[in-house]
Amino acid sequence: MEINFTGIRNASYIIEKTSKGSFPIKDRILNVQLTNDANGYELSDFINLTKPTGKLFINPFHKDFINIDHFSINQNDMPTLYLNGEPLVTSDEHLPLFSFIAKLTKKIAKMPEEKFINDLGYFKSAYADKALLMSRKISEELNEPFPHCLERFHQPDKIKKGAAKINNLIQEMMAEYFA
């Protein structure tokens, strides 16, 4: 039996495209369960980073999950980052959180596909249906039965590409902030 330690589990990714009037909106959403193991203490690190914010950025459904939503209206607008449903404003106070997210997304983007772990118990849980979209059920949005609709959002190759894209977008946000 081989046990893989990665510091994360149950990762998922979705791109949600909508519009507000004539403006196209794109959300790139990465949801991942943080753990503490031989390859890192992502969960403890994240909880410690949120303490100064009064734990504002802790996931309201499961404290060990992190939901990163990179939201943009069009290519010319400054994008917005949401962390567990709360806007994460570029400020000196939030730089440690931006650094954590950048490090996490970089790690996910470089992970070998065989290291991605998805638990059957997670797939059967009610949380899995609303993990990506936070307050909305993915099964209702897609009008597909739960949990069958989840498989396409838990594909390692898409998660890796999505994490890399979010990482690049965060780097651009930080470059703009420090300019």
Side-chain angles (χ1 to χ4, degrees), residues 138-153:
I138 197 114
S139 60
E140 291 174 3
E141 294 291 319
L142 299 174
N143 197 25
E144 293 181 23
F146 173 78
H148 305 294
C149 60
L150 297 179
E151 184 177 325
R152 70 180 131 188
F153 306 112

Side-chain angles (χ1 to χ4, degrees), residues 5 21 34 48 62 68 79 85 99 112 129-131 143 146 148 160 163-164 174:
F5 296 102
L34 304 176
N48 287 333
H62 274 281
I68 304 162
S99 178
D129 197 16
K130 61 182 176 181
N143 197 25
F146 173 78
H148 305 294
K160 288 169 54 92
M174 291 294 94

Side-chain angles (χ1 to χ4, degrees), residues 9-32:
R9 309 177 76 77
N10 301 314
S12 55
Y13 177 75
I14 189 172
I15 296 174
E16 185 178 35
K17 296 178 183 178
T18 57
S19 62
K20 190 169 193 167
S22 63
F23 297 104
I25 298 172
K26 184 183 280 187
D27 283 293
R28 297 176 186 280
I29 306 168
L30 176 68
N31 193 70
V32 64

